[in-house]
Amino acid sequence: SGELVMYRSIDPDTGQNRLYLFDRRSPHDDELVAADGVPGFETLHPVAGRNFDLSDHALAFVAQDGGADLIYQQRFVESAIPEPCEHDKTRTCSYDVNIALGARRAFALAKRGIDAVETIAVAPDGRRIAFVGLSAGGQKDVYLLTPHDTDGEDFELTQLTNDVYAERGIAWGPFGIVFSSDATGHGKYNLFRVDPAAPAAITRLTTEARDEYDPAVLADGTVLFSAYDKSGSNVYAVADGAVIKETDVATGLFDAAPGPDGTIWALHHYAAERLPVRIATQRFVAQKIATPPDAALAEPPGLRSLSLAKPYDPLKLENWQLGSIFLVAGLSGSHVFGQVIATANDRLRDHGLLLSLATYGDTALTDASLVYINEEHRVIWGGGLFNSIRSRVDRSFQTSDDLWFVSWERYFGGELLARYPFSRFVFLQGSVSAGGTEYFLLDDVQNDLAHPKDATSRNLYAPWLADNAGLRFQTEASLSLGYNSIGMHRATGPIRGSSVLLSLVNGVQPFNHMSYDQLRLDAEHYFPIIGAVNFFVRSGAGTTFGDSHAPQYFLSSFHTLRGVPFGQIDYLLGRQFVYATGELQFPIFEFVSFPLIDLEGILGADTGAVADQLDALWRRRILDLVFGTNVGFGPIVLQLHFAQPVSIGPIATPNHKNLTFNLSLNWRYQ
């Protein structure tokens, strides 16, 4: 009927693609059909042609899932109730439109040898679907998909063309399926028609020596298409073998389609956007175009010998290039704090190197790793060298001397890792590492233990050193199961989707009879509200089993318990932890001329605890009320957060119940 319009849009801030359906009599009552970046719809192919179509009661669209395209079919019911004018009940001023989408069916084409679908056309009865598919052998052809029943996902697939030429645009009309193909003598894309009932007889509709695309068929069989001329891209018609120019615009009209009351729909390119417009046939210029016949025979693409081709060697230095390099550094007295991240990769980006180096104010506290990553196949693997710094609340003398302090562990060696992606969103990752471990104290703690200020206290450094001296052989194995559907916004970073990571770590020092296990769960979800405004919840929990030398969890107070000053280690470091954060983020100001610089406000709350025993977590619980700002500079965000700790547990409130200021530098799109 032409009353319904289906279109694809791209959000300029998030890059998310969406498919909408609306009735032109009430365009604000639109219905969201699908959005990509979520399981099942990895992408809706924003730069592809019109890979969606509809009839009066059914629609179909293409989306990628698991690395291959699927065709989704969905029936719908629409009602459009006329509403009379307020002052003239005999006239209709508006419509109450309701579109109810039915159950959706997915037709998996990969098992039939079709990896990608370029464009589709729904039959007038809404049941069958014609499409241009790319086979696993790299050839494009026209196919016909016929479902076996009305609600199942089994189907029959018929190949309507079978040649070395390429097809692209497609439409279904009363006299068959119209498509564009370069099976021409001049090599340009012209229009052809095939009857699904007799695919062997293909009729050529046009012969002009220029590319014709976006075919559409009107109810009377008239074929419309778009083509570039001297002024721009315009709509043309094919009637009785003649090509007629119907529009004359300076920019472009694309994707013509039948409209109501003898009009046509098209996308008008203007001011870097393409918006739907409706054109009355009375506005057609109806200018006949001379089209000389194409007397030459279509020639298949030529072959090129590969005898002189050189095999690609990813290990040659000439095939490598430096990637991104990030440096963040700061000075505090004689202490240096900073981080360097540098990458390199080969030209095909199947092989990469990642260097990460961080120092925390003391040369002894330097964390570094150099990792090689291989992404040639589905299983991603790699390996490298590392020097990992870990801290723990050391309670070796708490029972005997009522004293605790922070000790450190340096674990260094080599690591192997592998990741298997079940899909774009779910993965399983494992790693195995082996090397040496040594325990040490910073100078100030070492002096305090060796030279106690209280004359009644004893020298504790010597017994601590006796228990922790020497280099120990250590191995670690980890296994993680992750899910991530987080979508990004240009100005605020994460804005939609969920992320969950469950990880298990086992460590062993076989020659020192020491072993431990760690179990951790992290999760977050973002709720988009409007524009860059969003609300997120984040939580995590972890526990440690085994020897007292096991690594402990350190919660960064900048992102978890913001009412705790970063230096109050006893609130942030321990064998068990649990926390939850809720935060509302809303834009305050944005530089219009340079949109990557912006100011964002935040309101939130944190709660949680860190302890050495599970039963102590509840007693050490903390609640913070948070407000502040995020200042964005491209991919970097400067966070200025204020948190007010609130007493909700029996232990002392962090920072003596005073307002806590947090200043941190973070990556916006992590």
Side-chain angles (χ1 to χ4, degrees):
S1 67
E3 303 288 0
L4 287 168
V5 177
M6 189 175 179
Y7 70 93
R8 178 179 56 206
S9 69
I10 304 176
D11 189 308
D13 292 318
T14 66
Q16 187 180 41
N17 299 272
R18 302 184 182 97
L19 283 172
Y20 288 96
L21 182 64
F22 73 90
D23 190 303
R24 63 104 183 175
R25 293 166 293 187
S26 182
H28 298 294
D29 293 330
D30 55 1
E31 185 74 20
L32 176 64
V33 176
D36 65 8
V38 298
F41 309 125
E42 294 177 11
T43 176
L44 294 174
H45 300 303
V47 297
R50 183 183 50 78
N51 54 5
F52 53 92
D53 198 19
L54 78 159
S55 65
D56 282 335
H57 304 290
L59 60 87
F61 63 93
V62 178
Q64 187 180 84
D65 183 25
D69 281 343
L70 283 77
I71 292 180
Y72 293 87
Q73 186 185 52
Q74 195 166 12
R75 301 195 72 83
F76 60 87
V77 176
E78 185 212 15
S79 62
I81 302 174
E83 294 182 334
C85 300
E86 183 176 352
H87 302 294
D88 185 357
K89 301 299 182 180
T90 62
R91 297 176 58 242
T92 298
C93 281
S94 62
Y95 285 82
D96 180 16
V97 172
N98 180 61
I99 300 174
L101 296 176
R104 180 180 292 155
R105 295 192 289 173
F107 301 110
L109 301 169
K111 60 184 180 182
R112 306 291 183 92
I114 307 297
D115 290 336
V117 177
E118 181 169 308
T119 181
I120 65 175
V122 175
D125 61 5
R127 176 169 170 74
R128 295 176 294 171
I129 302 170
F131 65 91
V132 175
L134 177 67
S135 69
Q139 182 60 46
K140 287 183 180 180
D141 279 300
V142 177
Y143 296 84
L144 179 63
L145 187 154
T146 304
H148 283 174
D149 50 50
T150 58
D151 55 5
E153 296 186 353
D154 293 330
F155 61 92
E156 179 182 344
L157 189 65
T158 305
Q159 186 171 350
L160 301 182
T161 65
N162 187 5
D163 53 40
V164 297
Y165 304 101
E167 290 76 28
R168 49 186 190 186
I170 194 169
W172 200 322
F175 305 116
I177 298 169
V178 177
F179 61 92
S180 61
S181 171
D182 64 350
T184 59
H186 43 60
K188 301 296 184 178
Y189 281 84
N190 286 169
L191 299 184
F192 297 78
R193 183 166 56 213
V194 60
D195 184 351
I202 297 178
T203 304
R204 185 170 178 177
L205 302 181
T206 60
T207 59
E208 57 180 341
R210 63 171 173 176
D211 289 332
E212 301 164 339
Y213 48 92
D214 297 344
V217 185
L218 303 182
D220 61 0
T222 301
V223 178
L224 303 178
F225 66 91
S226 295
Y228 281 96
D229 49 35
K230 294 181 180 179
S231 60
S233 175
N234 279 285
V235 176
Y236 293 79
V238 181
D240 299 326
V243 175
I244 302 171
K245 183 177 181 179
E246 302 288 20
T247 66
D248 188 9
V249 299
T251 53
L253 288 170
F254 305 88
D255 277 310
D261 305 324
T263 63
I264 68 168
W265 292 103
L267 285 178
H268 182 212
H269 187 97
Y270 182 76
E273 293 182 340
R274 292 187 180 183
L275 300 176
V277 295
R278 191 160 63 96
I279 306 171
T281 54
Q282 293 86 347
R283 302 290 301 273
F284 286 175
V285 296
Q287 178 184 349
K288 190 172 182 179
I289 303 297
T291 55
D294 181 13
L297 296 176
E299 295 185 2
L303 300 178
R304 176 174 295 181
S305 173
L306 298 179
S307 60
L308 300 179
K310 294 182 179 180
Y312 176 73
D313 187 354
L315 301 182
K316 280 190 176 182
L317 187 60
E318 63 189 38
N319 290 328
W320 281 72
Q321 56 191 8
L322 284 176
S324 303
I325 300 177
F326 297 97
L327 170 63
V328 179
L331 297 174
S332 177
S334 60
H335 302 287
V336 178
F337 300 84
Q339 184 177 21
V340 177
I341 297 177
T343 62
N345 55 266
D346 73 320
R347 295 182 185 276
L348 295 183
R349 297 185 178 272
D350 288 333
H351 307 263
L353 287 174
L354 173 63
L355 171 66
S356 177
L357 177 68
T359 182
Y360 306 106
D362 192 305
T363 55
L365 304 181
T366 300
D367 201 299
S369 66
L370 177 62
V371 181
Y372 161 77
I373 301 294
N374 185 302
E375 297 183 274
E376 287 183 302
H377 307 285
R378 178 162 190 159
V379 176
I380 302 169
W381 63 273
L385 304 175
F386 67 90
N387 182 78
S388 180
I389 302 299
R390 304 164 173 177
S391 59
R392 68 171 53 83
V393 174
D394 198 318
R395 303 187 185 276
S396 303
F397 305 109
Q398 183 153 0
T399 302
S400 60
D401 296 78
D402 192 24
L403 177 69
W404 67 268
F405 52 91
V406 176
S407 64
W408 296 85
E409 172 190 340
R410 179 182 295 108
Y411 178 38
F412 59 93
E415 179 182 30
L416 294 176
L417 57 91
R419 172 182 287 204
Y420 182 82
F422 295 101
S423 69
R424 173 183 166 184
F425 307 96
V426 182
F427 67 89
L428 181 68
Q429 179 170 308
S431 67
V432 177
S433 63
T437 292
E438 58 182 1
Y439 303 103
F440 65 96
L441 302 174
L442 296 182
D443 292 341
D444 54 347
V445 176
Q446 180 178 323
N447 291 332
D448 289 342
L449 293 179
H451 307 287
K453 298 177 182 179
D454 190 340
T456 61
S457 301
R458 61 192 178 105
N459 183 337
L460 298 178
Y461 179 64
W464 184 90
L465 190 61
D467 291 338
N468 297 276
L471 184 64
R472 308 182 181 199
F473 177 73
Q474 180 168 315
T475 64
E476 275 191 0
S478 69
L479 188 65
S480 301
L481 179 64
Y483 169 84
N484 189 341
S485 63
I486 298 294
M488 298 291 175
H489 187 283
R490 170 186 54 80
T492 192
I495 193 171
R496 59 178 171 83
S498 304
S499 175
V500 181
L501 182 65
L502 176 64
S503 57
L504 173 65
V505 178
N506 171 260
V508 178
Q509 292 180 5
F511 304 116
N512 296 87
H513 308 290
M514 191 276 280
S515 65
Y516 59 86
D517 296 285
Q518 290 186 308
L519 181 65
R520 177 170 181 165
L521 177 65
D522 294 278
E524 62 182 351
H525 184 78
Y526 286 82
F527 301 89
I529 299 176
I530 183 172
V533 181
N534 69 94
F535 179 79
F536 76 81
V537 290
R538 179 186 298 140
S539 63
T543 185
T544 303
F545 307 94
D547 196 272
S548 60
H549 284 87
Q552 297 183 1
Y553 298 105
F554 176 74
L555 293 188
S556 170
S557 59
F558 301 128
H559 310 98
T560 54
L561 303 177
R562 285 168 284 188
V564 181
F566 194 79
Q568 287 195 253
I569 300 297
D570 54 323
Y571 285 92
L572 301 173
L573 185 61
R575 292 170 63 90
Q576 282 81 29
F577 79 92
V578 62
Y579 81 92
T581 294
E583 185 173 294
L584 175 69
Q585 300 179 340
F586 52 93
I588 297 177
F589 179 77
E590 181 178 345
F591 285 92
V592 177
S593 59
F594 192 70
L596 290 179
I597 298 180
D598 59 89
L599 180 65
E600 181 180 52
I602 68 106
L603 292 172
D606 308 323
T607 186
V610 180
D612 278 349
Q613 302 295 331
L614 284 173
D615 57 1
L617 286 174
W618 178 250
R619 298 194 304 271
R620 296 176 61 83
R621 61 191 183 275
I622 299 168
L623 174 65
D624 312 319
L625 303 179
V626 185
F627 66 94
T629 60
N630 297 332
V631 184
F633 302 93
I636 298 176
V637 177
L638 181 67
Q639 294 185 343
L640 300 92
H641 294 179
F642 298 86
Q644 176 61 56
V646 179
S647 178
I648 61 170
I651 67 169
T653 305
N655 203 24
H656 307 290
K657 299 184 180 181
N658 294 325
L659 190 67
T660 304
F661 174 63
N662 291 275
L663 175 64
S664 62
L665 205 59
N666 304 273
W667 301 114
R668 188 199 297 263
Y669 307 116
Q670 65 182 358

